Amino acid sequence: MSQYDENDAFEAAAIPLSQRAVAARPARYMDDLNPEQRRAVEAMDGPVLMLAGAGTGKTKALTARIVHLMRMGRARPNEILAVTFTNKAAREMKERVGRLLGEVVEGMPWMGTFHSLSVKILRRHAELVGLKSNFTILDTDDQIRLLKQLIVAANIDEKRWPARMLAGMIDGWKNRALTPERVPSGEAAGYNNRGTELYAQYQERLRTLNATDFGDLLLHCVTIFQTHGDVLAQYQRWFRYILVDEYQDTNVCQYLWLRLLAQGHRNICCVGDDDQSIYGWRGAEVGNILRFEKDFPGAVVIKLEQNYRSTPHILAAASGVISANAGRLGKTLWTEAQAGEKVRLIGHWDGEEEARWIGEEIEALQRGTRGMGTYGLEDQAILVRASHQMRAFEDRFLTIGLPYRVIGGPRFYERQEIRDAMAYFRLAVSPEDDLAFERVVNLPKRGLGDKAQADIQRTARMAGVSLHEGARELVASGGIGGKGAGQLRAFVEGIDRWHALTLGAARVVGGEDDALVEEIGAAPKPMDHVRLAEVILEESGYTAMWQNDKTPEAPGRLENLKELVKALEQFDNLQGFLEHVSLIMENESEEALEKVSIMTLHAAKGLEFPVVFLPGWEDGLFPSQRSMDESGLKGLEEERRLAYVGITRAEEVCTISFASNRRVYGQWQSQLPSRFIDELPAAHVEVLTPPGLYGGGFGAAAVSYGSTSFDDRVGKADVYNSPGWRRMQDRAATRPVAQPREARGIVIDATAVSAFAEGDRVFHQKFGYGIVIGIEGDKLEVDFSKAGVKRVVAGFVVDADQADDLPF
DNA sequence: AAGGCGATGTTTTTT
DNA sequence: ACATCGCCTT
């Protein structure tokens, strides 16, 4: 039922091997593998690196390999360690293995994410790192709150040295498997040179709270492996074969984790694609995959290069872009598929027009009026670099009524109301959970402000007890005045009551926990945990808080709370629920209705769509300026891999676009087409002419729109240097005060629009008439009669006299 | 204690 | 532009 069911892996081993050994019957799972895939499946022993390009059937090979290992009697299901990064990937792999086996074999208990597997291991050996086996896993909120307290306590200006940043540093250290004492002295700059000290304090606090953060799950395991040879040896013996998916995304800590476990037999198979490493910013080390053969001498390296997903043009475009990266392991994707459409490239005046055009294009493809076939909405996706780009599309699609769904929005369990409710549940399960107490003590408002909360903290600290007990004492001693007193008393008693009810609930389940069984005698009537959850939310006033809330999102939040309670049904008790939620952030209720998908490039990894739109290919946005500033060439190369990932998501139609103007942080900015566009091989690209732009003016200037296709003789360098391209870039770079513009299909000639002066009466399509009151570069400050004072790009307004002649 | 206002910092995201 | 956050006012 649960993901890491304690249907214990080790005990499962007690079943004799003979019962499992399956007679060698025709190996169905091998039938439709290509020679390379087959090689990856059959190279069972020793280190194997499977370099699997996009769409080359890597999961197929990986799952077949697992089945093969079992069929050949090399390992029982519970002796195979298969690691993924996401729960989704783990789930899919389980399903596929199950399907290949064609029979219900008891699950593979050691197939899961790095984190879930680490939890499983850590619970068995928690005491080795000073934890109890029922430790809790903090979410980011709790982590930040805890750090903030430490920073304030250390008398460090929290504004100059924010807790978020420290959290990031600590995370980075943990990703590199650095415990506080191992952090290089040079790296603790900031926080008054007390960064590592704070890190150490934080670890101490976690231990006191019997808690870990996400990074700890892995790091503690590594620590245990490194310091307890006997424990490590046990697991090395246990996991006879190790498989790792998305190896290019592993960080140092994960690498150590794997290497320690694989040290003995070296039966480790890593699957990945260095060209799809896009998580360097969160600690992933491409170096891990580049170094594999050195780390594991004698490794068999198998390249999967036959692509089953995309057309040749799409593959060629992707290959062209990625070839600009240095230090690749190098693969050349090929396909037997027919040519199909070239990658389409189109420029737009601004982001809104881009969204409008894509919306129309999607509808046209849906109707099949593009002469390129018919594609349902669920076959089409828009992949953006940064999530704020999604807005333009959402706005546009809402106005034209085009159904869409955003993938990877805030996850269910990350929503405020869900976290609040969870904090209540946590308090009910363990009243001493101080972080949960802090979160909801004044939520809903109980008249307990900063002062009251500080008093509770002080009382608790002096007595060396939890906040819950501290609050009880404070109430008893009358140390808290007036209105808050009664409410705090009610809160404290509420926690007591709910806690008692959870204990009661344990008996219903059968009381596997001895400690709980002993206490049950004192507990009141047992209560079903789903009902209990409702009671808690009701009695605490939390539900009422949202019912009384008049904001438009309140109903949705209540809906989510209902959903949360419903989700509880699938668990045995509140404890069990909380145990698992921290690691499993399921994206549920994604109806597979006919909808266009909108998501970031990161979220798109591993997915594929017949039709893909890649908007916003503009320097600074994509590649992201920040990425380049922070990580230089490395950053640029990662951005380029992102471009590669984007293009290779497309099966049949891939459309790249950019806009000349875009609002960035509220300010209009001229944009240059992405340098990645220059890297697209001309022979595989078709340049489209945007509608409403014809002849002369903007049309000719921008990207040689006049021609319908790059001349095949023109190499990419020439494209970049082509007159039209050049002119457009010059234009963008010099940013003339007045640019020609397109208004409702009417092209206004640039020469007719002279530069503006203060006092000019102008017209703006959205804001109406106004007077120019200031000029700064190509931006005008205009006092609009209806919209008030706005800053607009000069190209967006016309002389009011001229506007009068326009047929609006 | 709670609501309102100006300074601030804006990627990508899993567990 | 826009949301978040800390501070300041009531």
Side-chain angles (χ1 to χ4, degrees), chain A residues 247-291:
Chain A
Y247 188 62
Q248 77 282 354
D249 289 336
T250 50
N251 60 37
V252 171
C253 191
Q254 288 156 341
Y255 164 75
L256 288 174
W257 193 98
L258 288 167
R259 202 182 65 177
L260 285 162
L261 286 171
Q263 250 167 20
H265 47 61
R266 302 200 318 147
N267 290 331
I268 182 168
C269 172
C270 293
V271 186
D273 179 358
D274 50 318
D275 291 335
Q276 291 186 69
S277 164
I278 55 174
Y279 284 110
W281 51 274
R282 65 178 201 209
E285 291 277 341
V286 210
N288 288 346
I289 195 166
L290 301 178
R291 237 188 19 246

Side-chain angles (χ1 to χ4, degrees), chain A residues 440-681:
Chain A
V440 295
V441 64
N442 199 29
L443 204 89
K445 299 269 186 275
R446 294 191 175 88
L448 301 164
D450 292 344
K451 181 162 180 312
Q453 291 187 42
D455 285 346
I456 296 171
Q457 292 270 4
R458 194 165 24 78
T459 312
R461 187 155 310 186
M462 290 208 312
V465 295
S466 66
L467 293 178
H468 172 239
E469 290 303 328
R472 191 201 308 285
E473 232 164 88
L474 197 65
V475 171
S477 69
I480 183 163
K483 201 169 54 161
Q487 299 228 51
L488 183 57
R489 172 186 294 270
F491 183 59
V492 169
E493 287 171 354
I495 295 173
D496 290 334
R497 195 168 53 251
W498 303 325
H499 181 55
L501 290 168
T502 52
L503 295 179
R507 180 160 55 186
V508 180
V509 179
E512 301 138 350
D513 189 323
D514 293 343
L516 290 179
V517 175
E518 278 172 37
E519 284 183 60
I520 283 171
K525 260 202 303 188
M527 184 181 268
D528 168 64
H529 68 287
V530 179
R531 176 83 194 105
L532 175 61
E534 287 168 349
V535 166
I536 293 173
L537 294 179
E538 205 55 47
E539 290 186 356
S540 63
Y542 191 73
T543 316
M545 182 182 95
W546 288 116
Q547 280 162 350
N548 297 330
D549 193 303
K550 297 285 182 286
T551 56
E553 59 263 26
R557 297 193 193 269
L558 284 166
E559 202 50 49
N560 289 336
L561 289 173
K562 264 192 211 146
E563 222 176 289
L564 175 70
V565 172
K566 219 171 101 203
L568 284 169
E569 287 169 10
Q570 295 169 32
F571 291 82
D572 293 338
N573 51 43
L574 279 186
Q575 291 96 317
F577 179 65
L578 294 173
E579 282 266 303
H580 294 94
V581 160
S582 42
L583 284 181
I584 309 161
M585 301 282 200
E586 296 288 356
N587 241 354
E588 32 211 294
S589 71
E590 271 306 351
E591 340 88 89
L593 288 169
E594 279 248 326
K595 285 177 178 172
V596 178
S597 299
I598 306 175
M599 70 191 90
T600 63
L601 288 162
H602 285 91
K605 192 165 89 157
L607 304 179
E608 57 189 13
F609 298 89
V611 177
V612 167
F613 290 92
L614 300 168
W617 280 44
E618 296 139 38
D619 250 44
L621 179 57
F622 187 44
S624 135
Q625 191 58 50
R626 182 151 170 189
S627 187
M628 294 187 291
D629 289 347
E630 282 175 7
S631 313
L633 184 61
K634 266 184 95 175
L636 176 62
E637 295 208 333
E638 182 154 313
E639 295 287 307
R640 191 175 280 119
R641 291 193 288 267
L642 216 36
Y644 175 79
V645 167
I647 298 170
T648 53
R649 296 311 96 192
E651 293 169 0
E652 294 167 30
V653 184
C654 177
T655 310
I656 294 169
S657 62
F658 60 91
S660 305
N661 296 283
R662 197 176 286 278
R663 239 187 332 213
V664 182
Y665 302 140
Q667 293 282 298
W668 281 101
Q669 269 196 352
S670 303
Q671 300 285 98
L672 291 179
S674 170
R675 63 194 72 187
F676 299 150
I677 289 178
D678 303 335
E679 295 166 5
L680 294 168

Side-chain angles (χ1 to χ4, degrees), chain A residues 64-108:
Chain A
R65 183 183 165 89
I66 290 171
V67 172
H68 192 60
L69 287 170
M70 298 194 290
R71 287 275 197 250
M72 293 294 115
R74 296 301 177 96
R76 307 176 180 100
N78 55 334
E79 290 170 332
I80 295 174
L81 178 71
V83 196
T84 64
F85 273 84
T86 64
N87 288 306
K88 190 176 161 214
R91 205 181 327 117
E92 279 170 10
M93 202 183 286
K94 274 184 186 170
E95 274 166 24
R96 286 181 73 157
V97 169
R99 233 184 302 145
L100 284 183
L101 286 169
E103 63 200 72
V104 185
V105 172
E106 89 233 37
M108 296 184 50

Side-chain angles (χ1 to χ4, degrees), chain A residues 112-130:
Chain A
T113 64
F114 275 105
H115 295 268
S116 67
L117 295 168
S118 292
V119 169
K120 206 165 186 170
I121 292 171
L122 199 50
R123 293 231 187 261
R124 306 181 137 261
H125 312 283
E127 74 289 350
L128 298 181
V129 285

Side-chain angles (χ1 to χ4, degrees), chain A residues 148 175 200 276 440 493 512 520 542 709-710 770 772 790 806:
Chain A
K148 192 179 275 183
N175 284 340
Q276 291 186 69
V440 295
E493 287 171 354
E512 301 138 350
I520 283 171
Y542 191 73
S709 162
F710 280 157
V772 177
K790 301 264 181 204
L806 296 174

